Amino acid sequence: MWTRPLKKFAASKFQLIRGQSLQIQCFKSTVAIPSQDLEGVSPSSASQTGFGKIYDKKPFKFRCTEGKSYFWCACGQSKSQPFCDKLCNNTHYKISMRPVKFIPPETKDYWFCNCKQTSKRPFCDGTHRREDVIAAVKI
């Protein structure tokens, strides 16, 4: 079942912690960003160098099921954010970005990037706090 992003997001203020793996501290819980080798999963997604349209300046928390395939929207045009609705397949829109395939190693909550500027696709890395991203999103 699809859930829409909340308009008011209490966890939008989080802190990046440096360590062996990138982690996001949100309130009192710490969430590790899983490693995602895009080279073996989706060659077209791994070779994308550009960034999509900025959709929102807050990450989206979604409970993913182990072994199920999810396709994160990289173009920012999808109406079912943060996941792809295959709008990019329509040649009329001339969208060059393609979705990023993610297969979760375990069932749990993951934080997906909604600003589409992350370097840890499809996960949020805090890029939405940059000045240019904040200025691009109108509330």
Side-chain angles (χ1 to χ4, degrees):
M1 175 178 225
W2 173 250
T3 320
R4 293 187 314 164
L6 299 174
K7 288 190 178 186
K8 295 198 178 199
F9 191 128
S12 63
K13 296 178 183 175
F14 58 86
Q15 171 184 6
L16 291 178
I17 302 171
R18 296 200 182 266
Q20 290 181 340
S21 64
L22 181 63
Q23 296 181 339
I24 299 174
Q25 183 176 357
C26 181
F27 299 111
K28 294 183 180 178
S29 64
T30 302
V31 180
I33 296 177
S35 62
Q36 179 71 7
D37 182 18
L38 295 179
E39 294 297 328
V41 177
S42 180
S44 63
S45 299
S47 62
Q48 296 180 116
T49 56
F51 296 101
K53 174 186 163 197
I54 297 173
Y55 177 76
D56 196 0
K57 63 179 178 180
K58 299 175 293 274
F60 184 80
K61 182 179 177 182
F62 188 80
R63 186 159 210 50
C64 295
T65 307
E66 177 183 356
K68 184 178 177 185
S69 296
Y70 296 90
F71 292 88
W72 175 76
C73 171
C75 71
Q77 304 288 339
S78 173
K79 302 295 182 213
S80 59
Q81 292 291 339
F83 302 110
C84 181
D85 63 0
K86 303 200 182 206
L87 181 69
C88 54
N89 289 341
N90 188 333
T91 56
H92 172 72
Y93 292 106
K94 299 179 182 171
I95 299 171
S96 61
M97 300 295 293
R98 293 293 171 244
V100 175
K101 183 178 181 179
F102 169 61
I103 302 172
E106 60 183 313
T107 301
K108 68 176 192 175
D109 292 332
Y110 293 92
W111 290 93
F112 290 96
C113 174
N114 262 346
C115 75
K116 312 303 176 188
Q117 310 302 303
T118 182
S119 60
K120 303 286 185 189
R121 293 178 186 169
F123 307 109
C124 177
D125 65 355
T127 308
H128 62 272
R129 292 181 285 167
R130 286 190 337 217
E131 294 293 327
D132 59 328
V133 175
I134 292 171
V137 178
K138 296 178 182 169
I139 299 175

